[in-house]
Amino acid sequence: MPESLRIFISATTDLEAGRAAIGRTLADLPVSLKTEIRRFPKEGTSYETLFEMISNVDRVYFLLGQDITAPSGTEWDLAFRLEREVFALRKPARLTPAAKEFLRTVDYQVTPSEWRLFRTDDELARFIANDVVELLLHPLNRYGLSVIEMERLRLWRKGFGFSAEPHLADEPGGAEDGGIILGRDRESQTIDFSPLPT
C-alpha cells in the first residue's frame, strides 16, 4: 500500500512565513499524494506528543533565522535522537549570540557547509521542491507513484514548477498550522496514448 509523505517543519519565530512557502510548494506537486505537514502546535504540547509527532516523519525541515527560539532546539534534538533525516536551512542574518552558540554546538551533526542558505521564499521553495522530488523518487517507490507521475515530478523539478504568485505575509494559506494535503485525483489524470492523425 502506498505511503503518505509525512514531514515536520521546525522554524524559528522569525521564519514562520517559511512554513507557508513550504506548504504551497507541496500543494503544487504535480502528482496525487497524501502529504501530512506537522508542526509544534501554537497552543503548545507535551514532550511526549512532540516525540510522537517527529518519530515517524520522512523528513524534518529545520529553518533557522536570526535567533534560535523555543521549541526549535528541542525539535532539532529530538529529530537527531530519533534518527530522522534533517534538512537544515538557514536565512543569512546577523545571528544572536544564542544562534551562534547553537550552530557551534550542532556542527558535529550538520557542518556549516551542509546548511542550505536561502534569502527569499522562492529560494526556500526551490530547495524544498528539489528535496521532496528526491524523496518521492525513492527506488522502492514507497509512495506508489506511476511512471507518468514520476516523469511529471522530474519535469516539475527541472522547471521548479512551484507557484510564483505573490502572497501577503499575513494571508493564511500554507502550513502555518500544519495540515494534510490530499493531492490531485489520480482518476482525472489521464493521458491519451492513441496515435496522432496523419
Side-chain angles (χ1 to χ4, degrees):
M1 183 173 177
E3 296 180 26
S4 300
L5 176 64
R6 297 176 307 273
I7 67 166
F8 187 93
I9 305 173
S10 177
T12 55
T13 305
D14 55 337
L15 293 180
E16 279 291 316
R19 295 181 198 276
I22 293 173
R24 287 190 300 269
T25 301
L26 293 171
D28 284 346
L29 284 169
V31 296
S32 177
L33 178 72
K34 182 178 175 185
T35 303
E36 185 177 343
I37 300 170
R38 300 177 183 178
R39 66 158 297 166
F40 189 88
K42 288 181 180 177
E43 64 276 6
T45 192
S46 67
Y47 182 85
E48 292 76 19
T49 301
L50 184 59
F51 185 98
E52 287 298 318
M53 291 174 73
I54 295 175
S55 66
N56 65 347
V57 294
D58 299 302
R59 178 78 85 236
V60 174
Y61 292 110
F62 186 88
L63 283 60
L64 176 65
Q66 184 176 358
D67 193 13
I68 184 73
T69 54
S72 299
T74 302
E75 292 166 343
W76 175 280
D77 182 57
L78 270 174
F80 279 96
R81 284 186 48 217
L82 293 167
E83 298 179 352
R84 300 293 86 201
E85 291 192 44
V86 176
F87 194 89
L89 300 123
R90 187 166 74 80
K91 192 163 192 175
R94 182 180 293 245
L95 298 176
T96 64
K100 287 179 186 175
E101 180 63 14
F102 172 78
L103 287 174
R104 188 190 68 75
T105 58
V106 301
D107 69 357
Y108 71 97
Q109 295 165 319
V110 176
T111 64
S113 64
E114 292 173 314
W115 284 87
R116 282 77 164 188
L117 299 180
F118 69 96
R119 289 172 180 74
T120 66
D121 283 350
D122 282 351
E123 288 180 348
L124 172 61
R126 283 185 181 93
F127 279 123
I128 300 302
N130 189 55
D131 184 63
V132 167
V133 171
E134 285 300 314
L135 279 173
L136 296 179
L137 294 178
H138 189 276
L140 298 178
N141 195 12
R142 295 171 43 199
Y143 305 99
L145 301 177
S146 70
V147 173
I148 294 169
E149 288 174 314
M150 290 181 188
E151 188 57 29
R152 281 185 190 144
L153 278 174
R154 290 184 185 97
L155 291 171
W156 181 77
R157 175 175 56 181
K158 193 172 183 179
F160 293 112
F162 57 89
S163 173
E165 295 175 16
H167 293 269
L168 301 175
D170 58 348
E171 180 184 35
E176 293 96 340
D177 293 322
I180 295 176
I181 300 171
L182 296 176
R184 293 172 168 80
D185 179 14
R186 287 189 188 197
E187 296 301 316
S188 66
Q189 295 180 359
T190 59
I191 295 179
D192 184 5
F193 287 103
S194 57
L196 295 171
T198 55

PDB file of all heavy atoms in Angstrom, residues 14-27:
ATOM      1  N   ASP A  14      11.125  34.002  13.686  1.00  0.00           N
ATOM      2  CA  ASP A  14      11.195  34.967  12.585  1.00  0.00           C
ATOM      3  C   ASP A  14      10.994  34.338  11.210  1.00  0.00           C
ATOM      4  O   ASP A  14      10.933  35.048  10.214  1.00  0.00           O
ATOM      5  CB  ASP A  14      12.521  35.738  12.623  1.00  0.00           C
ATOM      6  CG  ASP A  14      13.748  34.832  12.614  1.00  0.00           C
ATOM      7  OD1 ASP A  14      13.638  33.655  13.004  1.00  0.00           O
ATOM      8  OD2 ASP A  14      14.823  35.312  12.218  1.00  0.00           O
ATOM      9  N   LEU A  15      10.875  33.017  11.144  1.00  0.00           N
ATOM     10  CA  LEU A  15      10.685  32.350   9.857  1.00  0.00           C
ATOM     11  C   LEU A  15       9.356  31.599   9.763  1.00  0.00           C
ATOM     12  O   LEU A  15       9.222  30.659   8.990  1.00  0.00           O
ATOM     13  CB  LEU A  15      11.848  31.396   9.577  1.00  0.00           C
ATOM     14  CG  LEU A  15      13.197  32.076   9.346  1.00  0.00           C
ATOM     15  CD1 LEU A  15      14.281  31.051   9.069  1.00  0.00           C
ATOM     16  CD2 LEU A  15      13.117  33.075   8.194  1.00  0.00           C
ATOM     17  N   GLU A  16       8.372  32.036  10.529  1.00  0.00           N
ATOM     18  CA  GLU A  16       7.045  31.402  10.472  1.00  0.00           C
ATOM     19  C   GLU A  16       6.489  31.401   9.056  1.00  0.00           C
ATOM     20  O   GLU A  16       5.832  30.450   8.632  1.00  0.00           O
ATOM     21  CB  GLU A  16       6.069  32.106  11.412  1.00  0.00           C
ATOM     22  CG  GLU A  16       6.194  31.689  12.859  1.00  0.00           C
ATOM     23  CD  GLU A  16       5.746  30.258  13.086  1.00  0.00           C
ATOM     24  OE1 GLU A  16       4.708  29.839  12.548  1.00  0.00           O
ATOM     25  OE2 GLU A  16       6.434  29.542  13.814  1.00  0.00           O
ATOM     26  N   ALA A  17       6.741  32.472   8.294  1.00  0.00           N
ATOM     27  CA  ALA A  17       6.213  32.554   6.928  1.00  0.00           C
ATOM     28  C   ALA A  17       6.799  31.456   6.040  1.00  0.00           C
ATOM     29  O   ALA A  17       6.199  31.081   5.034  1.00  0.00           O
ATOM     30  CB  ALA A  17       6.495  33.923   6.325  1.00  0.00           C
ATOM     31  N   GLY A  18       7.966  30.934   6.403  1.00  0.00           N
ATOM     32  CA  GLY A  18       8.576  29.858   5.630  1.00  0.00           C
ATOM     33  C   GLY A  18       7.718  28.608   5.617  1.00  0.00           C
ATOM     34  O   GLY A  18       7.748  27.843   4.646  1.00  0.00           O
ATOM     35  N   ARG A  19       6.940  28.395   6.671  1.00  0.00           N
ATOM     36  CA  ARG A  19       6.036  27.235   6.704  1.00  0.00           C
ATOM     37  C   ARG A  19       5.027  27.311   5.559  1.00  0.00           C
ATOM     38  O   ARG A  19       4.728  26.322   4.904  1.00  0.00           O
ATOM     39  CB  ARG A  19       5.282  27.181   8.029  1.00  0.00           C
ATOM     40  CG  ARG A  19       6.128  26.947   9.242  1.00  0.00           C
ATOM     41  CD  ARG A  19       5.214  26.903  10.469  1.00  0.00           C
ATOM     42  NE  ARG A  19       5.941  27.099  11.696  1.00  0.00           N
ATOM     43  CZ  ARG A  19       6.581  26.142  12.355  1.00  0.00           C
ATOM     44  NH1 ARG A  19       6.587  24.917  11.878  1.00  0.00           N
ATOM     45  NH2 ARG A  19       7.216  26.403  13.476  1.00  0.00           N
ATOM     46  N   ALA A  20       4.493  28.521   5.348  1.00  0.00           N
ATOM     47  CA  ALA A  20       3.506  28.703   4.278  1.00  0.00           C
ATOM     48  C   ALA A  20       4.148  28.457   2.916  1.00  0.00           C
ATOM     49  O   ALA A  20       3.535  27.853   2.033  1.00  0.00           O
ATOM     50  CB  ALA A  20       2.915  30.103   4.344  1.00  0.00           C
ATOM     51  N   ALA A  21       5.387  28.912   2.723  1.00  0.00           N
ATOM     52  CA  ALA A  21       6.080  28.698   1.452  1.00  0.00           C
ATOM     53  C   ALA A  21       6.261  27.204   1.194  1.00  0.00           C
ATOM     54  O   ALA A  21       6.088  26.728   0.070  1.00  0.00           O
ATOM     55  CB  ALA A  21       7.428  29.413   1.456  1.00  0.00           C
ATOM     56  N   ILE A  22       6.610  26.461   2.238  1.00  0.00           N
ATOM     57  CA  ILE A  22       6.775  25.010   2.089  1.00  0.00           C
ATOM     58  C   ILE A  22       5.429  24.363   1.784  1.00  0.00           C
ATOM     59  O   ILE A  22       5.317  23.497   0.909  1.00  0.00           O
ATOM     60  CB  ILE A  22       7.417  24.403   3.354  1.00  0.00           C
ATOM     61  CG1 ILE A  22       8.865  24.889   3.496  1.00  0.00           C
ATOM     62  CG2 ILE A  22       7.359  22.879   3.308  1.00  0.00           C
ATOM     63  CD1 ILE A  22       9.534  24.498   4.795  1.00  0.00           C
ATOM     64  N   GLY A  23       4.374  24.773   2.480  1.00  0.00           N
ATOM     65  CA  GLY A  23       3.045  24.225   2.239  1.00  0.00           C
ATOM     66  C   GLY A  23       2.577  24.456   0.813  1.00  0.00           C
ATOM     67  O   GLY A  23       2.023  23.561   0.174  1.00  0.00           O
ATOM     68  N   ARG A  24       2.805  25.667   0.285  1.00  0.00           N
ATOM     69  CA  ARG A  24       2.406  25.958  -1.092  1.00  0.00           C
ATOM     70  C   ARG A  24       3.199  25.116  -2.078  1.00  0.00           C
ATOM     71  O   ARG A  24       2.660  24.639  -3.086  1.00  0.00           O
ATOM     72  CB  ARG A  24       2.584  27.446  -1.386  1.00  0.00           C
ATOM     73  CG  ARG A  24       1.542  28.327  -0.711  1.00  0.00           C
ATOM     74  CD  ARG A  24       1.590  29.753  -1.191  1.00  0.00           C
ATOM     75  NE  ARG A  24       2.862  30.406  -0.952  1.00  0.00           N
ATOM     76  CZ  ARG A  24       3.177  31.099   0.132  1.00  0.00           C
ATOM     77  NH1 ARG A  24       2.292  31.207   1.114  1.00  0.00           N
ATOM     78  NH2 ARG A  24       4.344  31.681   0.256  1.00  0.00           N
ATOM     79  N   THR A  25       4.479  24.915  -1.803  1.00  0.00           N
ATOM     80  CA  THR A  25       5.305  24.097  -2.690  1.00  0.00           C
ATOM     81  C   THR A  25       4.784  22.666  -2.731  1.00  0.00           C
ATOM     82  O   THR A  25       4.652  22.069  -3.804  1.00  0.00           O
ATOM     83  CB  THR A  25       6.777  24.109  -2.217  1.00  0.00           C
ATOM     84  OG1 THR A  25       7.246  25.462  -2.212  1.00  0.00           O
ATOM     85  CG2 THR A  25       7.662  23.277  -3.124  1.00  0.00           C
ATOM     86  N   LEU A  26       4.453  22.115  -1.579  1.00  0.00           N
ATOM     87  CA  LEU A  26       3.928  20.744  -1.529  1.00  0.00           C
ATOM     88  C   LEU A  26       2.564  20.646  -2.194  1.00  0.00           C
ATOM     89  O   LEU A  26       2.258  19.654  -2.853  1.00  0.00           O
ATOM     90  CB  LEU A  26       3.869  20.264  -0.081  1.00  0.00           C
ATOM     91  CG  LEU A  26       5.226  20.088   0.597  1.00  0.00           C
ATOM     92  CD1 LEU A  26       5.054  19.834   2.088  1.00  0.00           C
ATOM     93  CD2 LEU A  26       6.006  18.964  -0.046  1.00  0.00           C
ATOM     94  N   ALA A  27       1.740  21.672  -2.038  1.00  0.00           N
ATOM     95  CA  ALA A  27       0.422  21.661  -2.675  1.00  0.00           C
ATOM     96  C   ALA A  27       0.532  21.711  -4.194  1.00  0.00           C
ATOM     97  O   ALA A  27      -0.360  21.241  -4.898  1.00  0.00           O
ATOM     98  CB  ALA A  27      -0.412  22.831  -2.162  1.00  0.00           C
TER      99      ALA A  27
END
